């Protein structure tokens, strides 16, 4: 009986070889196609790479970065920015979060009042040809009100003489700028110029006088300055003042520059801040302005961990913010109902001015944004008193054509130092 046709053995081997060759080619093509679909290492999503770098950062990595030695040697610091102690970091975080949670509407109103009183020496009033003007240097008033707010809000320190506050603010700025040229190599105190070190020591002594009562009466100062980082006899207020002051003052500064930048044609942002009362939670519009300022002009633009992390680049990337990424547009943070679009500032978003992960700033929960809104609002209330629509001009050689036409402002630490706002109103 015929059981069917059977291929000769040699021919069977040929057929099997052909089938195996075809199968190999198919698998190879699929493998190549799969590799083509995978992003190349240099094409990995910028946001994901940045988030991963920040998430993977540790306190030990931050303490070992270039510049930590200068902070230790120049400022005599012993805080989470220079120490790799997890216990010290957690103590700071717990104490600050407790302080932030106690800052209610009444406390914010008191901060605003202190800022308003302290501003008067910085405002130049003038009557000329039927017009009343108020002129102020934007950088000076931003730095000043931020320092007043830090001392009042965190330590309940008030009524410090104006000249003392001006000295503290200007010296912190001057020495911060001066130290940067030594960040890479000043690993020992002897590597720093003696005049720079003497100036820092003099500043610490002055701040100890300012904190002479607060170190005993204020819980935050007593816990951190006199227990965690120092002792009642050997404490350094800069351990808290530096991180609490440096970022907020620049946040206030660029918020004011940005909302004053358009001039007479767009006063909506000025009105939103001026008319948002300090004794109530900021309006969504006022918060949106703070969020946009922190997006376009983050106080900490770049950080170094195991690699360089460019926060500013992500927050200005059109891939995440659209074609107006380089434009100051606060209303992008509002939804159709005029409320904050929380997806733009939530976890995994391209908005990260306070970093992310374990190194995230304790003030990220809303304290810093409200401080910016409250202080910028108080400055604008002093510049534009009453309810009239504001009118102003900006003056100074650094206020160039790019700034006057609404282009993105330069974001360096010393930019626009000579620029003043001139608020005008009929007398």
């Amino acid at each position: 009986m015929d059981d069917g046709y059977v291929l000769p053995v040699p021919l069977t081997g040929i057929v099997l070889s052909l089938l195996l060759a075809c199968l190999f080619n198919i698998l190879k093509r699929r493998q190549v196609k799969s590799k083509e679909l995978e992003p190349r290492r240099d094409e990995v999503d910028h946001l994901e790479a940045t988030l991963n770098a920040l998430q993977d950062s540790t306190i030990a990595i931050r303490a070992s970065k270039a510049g930590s030695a200068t902070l230790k040697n120049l400022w005599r610091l012993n805080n989470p920015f220079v120490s790799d102690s997890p216990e010290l970091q957690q103590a700071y975080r717990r104490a600050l979060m407790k302080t932030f949670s106690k800052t209610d509407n009444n406390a914010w109103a008191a901060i605003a009042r202190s800022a308003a009183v302290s501003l008067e020496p910085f405002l130049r009033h003038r009557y000329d040809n039927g017009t009343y003007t108020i002129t102020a240097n934007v950088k000076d008033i931003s730095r000043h009100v931020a320092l007043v707010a830090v001392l009042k809000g965190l330590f309940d320190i008030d009524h410090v003489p104006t000249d003392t506050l001006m000295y503290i603010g200007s010296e912190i700025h001057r020495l911060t700028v001066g130290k940067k040229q030594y960040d890479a190599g000043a690993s020992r105190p002897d590597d720093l110029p003696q005049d720079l070190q003497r100036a820092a020591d003099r500043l610490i002594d002055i701040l100890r006088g300012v904190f002479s009562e607060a170190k005993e009466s204020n819980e935050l100062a007593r816990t951190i300055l006199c227990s965690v980082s120092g002792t009642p006899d050997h404490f350094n207020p800069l351990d808290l003042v530096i991180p609490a002051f440096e970022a907020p003052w620049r946040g206030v500064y660029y918020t004011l520059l940005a909302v004053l930048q358009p001039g007479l044609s767009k006063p909506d942002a000025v009105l939103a801040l001026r008319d948002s009362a300090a004794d109530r939670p900021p309006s969504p519009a006022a918060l949106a302005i703070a969020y946009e300022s922190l997006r376009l002009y983050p106080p900490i633009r770049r950080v170094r961990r195991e690699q360089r992390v460019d926060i500013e680049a992500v927050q200005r990337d059109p891939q995440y913010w659209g074609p107006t990424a380089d434009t100051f547009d606060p209303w992008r943070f509002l939804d159709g109902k005029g409320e904050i679009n929380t997806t733009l500032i939530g976890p995994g978003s391209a908005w990260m001015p306070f970093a992310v992960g374990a190194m995230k700033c304790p003030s990220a929960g809303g304290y810093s944004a409200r401080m910016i809104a409250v202080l910028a609002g108080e400055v604008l209330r002093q510049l534009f008193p009453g309810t009239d629509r504001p009118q102003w001009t900006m003056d100074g050689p650094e206020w160039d054509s790019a700034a006057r036409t609404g282009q993105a402002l330069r974001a360096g630490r010393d930019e626009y130092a000579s620029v003043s706002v001139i608020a005008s109103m009929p007398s």
Side-chain angles (χ1 to χ4, degrees), residues 31 42 54 118 123 127 133 149 157 216 238 240 256 280 283 315 335 358 370:
Q31 188 177 27
D42 59 350
L54 292 173
S118 73
L123 306 178
Y127 292 93
T133 60
I157 295 175
E216 299 176 358
L238 288 176
L240 273 172
L256 288 172
R280 295 193 297 272
S283 67
Q315 295 194 160
D335 61 20
R370 184 163 183 176

Side-chain angles (χ1 to χ4, degrees), residues 109-179:
I111 290 171
R113 285 194 298 271
S114 294
V117 171
S118 73
L119 274 174
E120 186 54 38
F122 295 84
L123 306 178
R124 301 191 299 276
H125 302 260
R126 182 178 179 181
Y127 292 93
D128 187 22
N129 295 326
T131 299
Y132 173 52
T133 60
I134 302 175
T135 303
N137 178 277
V138 184
K139 187 172 186 178
D140 289 346
I141 58 177
S142 300
R143 194 165 60 197
H144 186 76
V145 296
L147 181 57
V148 168
V150 166
L151 294 177
K152 176 64 177 176
L154 298 185
F155 309 106
D156 200 26
I157 295 175
D158 211 349
H159 308 301
V160 180
T162 299
D163 57 348
T164 300
L165 289 171
M166 291 175 62
Y167 177 81
I168 293 170
S170 63
E171 278 298 272
I172 289 176
H173 178 74
R174 182 179 75 87
L175 294 174
T176 299
V177 173
K179 86 171 187 65

Side-chain angles (χ1 to χ4, degrees), residues 7 28 44 58 76 87 103 127 136 144 152 236 263 267 285 343:
L7 287 172
K28 186 175 181 180
V44 172
T58 66
R76 319 290 193 187
E87 292 78 18
T103 310
Y127 292 93
H144 186 76
K152 176 64 177 176
N236 182 1
T343 61

